[in-house]
Amino acid sequence: MRRVAVAGVGLIPVKEYWDRSLQSLFAEAALKALKDAGTDKVDSVYVANMSGSFMQDQINMGALVTDSLGRPGLPAVRVEAGAASGGVAFHEAVKAVASGYSECVLVGGAEKMSDVLPEAATTALVMSEEQEYTAYTGVTQAGLSAMLHRLYLDLYAEPAQVGMMAVKGHDHSVGCKHAQYPFRMSIDRAMDSPMEADPIHMMECSGVGDGAAAMVLVPAADSGVEVVGSAVATDCCSLAIRRDPLIFESVRRAAEKAYSMAGVKPDDIDLAEVHDDFTINGILSLEALGLAGWGEATKLVAGNATDKDGKIPTNTFGGLKARGHPLGATGLYQVAEVALQLRGAAGDHQVPGAEVGLAQSMGGMASVSAVNILRRFGV
Amino acid sequence: MKTLRQVGIVGYGAYVPMYRLNAAEINRMWGTSGAPVEEKSVVALDEDTVTISVECAKQAVRRARIDPSLIGAVYVGTESKPYAVKPSGTIVAEAIGATPSVSTADYEFACKAGTEAMQTCIGLVGSGMQRYAMAIGADTAQGRPADALEYTAACGGAAYIFAERSAETVAYLEASYSYVTDTPDFWRRAKEMYPRHGNRFTGEPAYFKHITGATKGLLKETGYGPEEFKYAVFHQPNTKFPITVARSLGFSVDQINPGLVVGKVGNTYAGSSPMGLAATLDVAEPGDRIFMVSYGSGSGSDAFIFTAQDALRDKRGGPNLKGFIDRKRNVDYATYLRHRGQIIQ
Amino acid sequence: MSVPRYWRNEVPRYRLMGRKCVACGARYFPAQPVCTCGGTEFEDIKLVEAGEVVTWTVIRSPPLGYEKYAPYVVALVELDDGMRLLSQVVDVDPADVKAGMRVEAVFRKVREDGPSGIIMYGYKFRPMVE
């Protein structure tokens, strides 16, 4: 396999783009990434998108986005893996370059949630679950996460300790130009917000937003940001049949493989972007990634270890909670943010001396996960 | 009417949803007073005639201790069909595992649809056409807001499995009788949400005439007098009517009291007298003879004589109707409307 | 809503029917085409209709089609035969639900395809009625 590098990064702010189409968001991020890479020699395109077939009635998105980029003719395909679409699309793009099949890949993700009403967005999210016996109960993604949240509270933590995951995300987002909610939020505000799905408060949930993020991948040369580990893993779809529902097996498996590919251990990770669509999922992800012991992630978060100068800076631009969570695009925001950190281009969010960073996304109730590890090289 | 071979009830079940609307709440709403019943049952948001029927049917199967696939007929009597066209009985039969070797249909005869289904099952088993046949009377009854029926129109049901009389029989049938004339005292036209009724016309020429006719007919046919029954159940649209008709026919309040559930659950229409019978079977002893008469507007009455057997004591375990009546939560008028689909459909 | 999708799931949903792998005995609800042991032969099993609440939530922002029932409780239920499933728990005040609460299966309406479409039924659980 060839070594793969991130040659270009493009992000647009996560917000509600009432007057823009899905493909225009994609095109904007893609053009930024291509400009950043200084190339127009893209030979294939991967587009990450979760809910376009429901929110925009749009499938066959590969052709749609190459057309909108003025590049009809390029091979292109949509990658869908629930809210892990971005992370999985990145993984597929890495494989394309690593295998030698492609020389320059554009991988971008776009999602436009503001095109539908909130209850339809709720429905779109639960489409990641098995429909006939899980979604049929009327449960939501918040509800599934809430059931884990309650088990976690019984065993390991107080509500406010889990809620700190959101507070920290907001702290980190302040000043972030692409974040949807770049403001501080107190733990009291989170704990006083209405219940979304007991015991999850509304202010522990990521919001509804539109966004697009893109990267250009090429064979690694002399210096830059290299993709040193990339893995995807799955788990049983239903929480009901998992041996221990508090262990995100798909995250653990993908992380194990990605660490092994990268030749690193959790201790070597300088920063992590984790999937905190709900506070508890950020907590459980930190544990499944091996960045915190089982049942110990809230101590990590409360103890400033996840701050930018802490032991394991986490969600340095705000995470899903504060940067925003445009579903299929989210995984690419995460990887792009890691790339910015490793380039030293993270501005006020910069983790000093960051060399190795990790991005983790998950789809469904962690029934699929992607873990991508990047390393700065040659500088 | 008597069957060619002896028929009995081999299992039964009765159910009432947990929500109640007190008459005082209706009076508060409309500035009225009086209370034909103390309170009435209200369905949960996710209940309808089919779910009530399944609840009753599952109890009946459990008590009957039979393989449900042997049930050859499932008939649901109701005036609250969830579908105007599509049988409720198929859903019930599928849910209890009686399909596919089964006959099903929905019966309509206002409040006596349930006992009409019983007559049919008795005929099927009595003729030898079926080994087991199930009759259900269940309703989520309609009563127009501010109408007198709003106090009473309630939700509940009961199911009976009939089989040839054996040691497994909890109560066997001695005889039955039907009495029908064309008497338009209460009706609901197609696509109308609420029934209309003839007010006092529903009394003497309707309820009283038909119950009296059926009772006298069956007593004459069997030669029994009222005193030869331990218990009696008369269709219970309110508390007053069954007491009045019982007394006029020579039955005592003591005979009807165990089965008189209307005061606590309201008028469950096609479920009414079948639930009264279930409440009576819940307390009867082997050898007790029970008289039962339904009334359905339009109009008619079905009368039955059952005698309890030893198996009744052994089989009636588990949650019974009293348990479901006691398991209650009172709701306010707005919640009542919501549960009835009047606020959000 | 798709009628065939509803129809083909009636028996498992109406009667809590699962399947057991003939080769290794692993039990599934809902059924899976292939067992984790590789087995593809299964026999039908009836799940026990009683169990207890392991964990639960209250759905306050429901998906489309469930609006009229909100707020409602969804729980992870462990049946007395050891099988686990997700289900609504009804006939209970959400504030009264507890871990370990005894529950039993009931047959209820789950959703409707509008006022003219089919009515979809299935299992839910309620606090055990003694």
Side-chain angles (χ1 to χ4, degrees), chain A residues 16 18 54-55 113-126 140 196 207-209 327, chain C residues 61-64 67:
Chain A
E16 292 162 321
W18 302 112
F54 177 66
M55 294 180 173
M113 302 177 74
S114 65
D115 280 355
V116 299
L117 295 171
E119 53 269 36
T122 300
T123 304
L125 289 177
V126 83
T140 57
E196 172 70 16
V208 167
L327 307 180
Chain C
S61 305
L64 295 168
E67 299 91 335

Side-chain angles (χ1 to χ4, degrees), chain B residues 46 48 55 83 94 338, chain C residues 15 68 70 119 121 124 126:
Chain B
D46 57 1
D48 62 15
E55 181 90 31
Y83 289 93
E94 197 74 68
R338 182 183 175 202
Chain C
R15 297 184 217 156
K68 77 168 178 180
I119 304 167
Y121 298 92
K124 294 184 183 178
R126 73 171 169 221

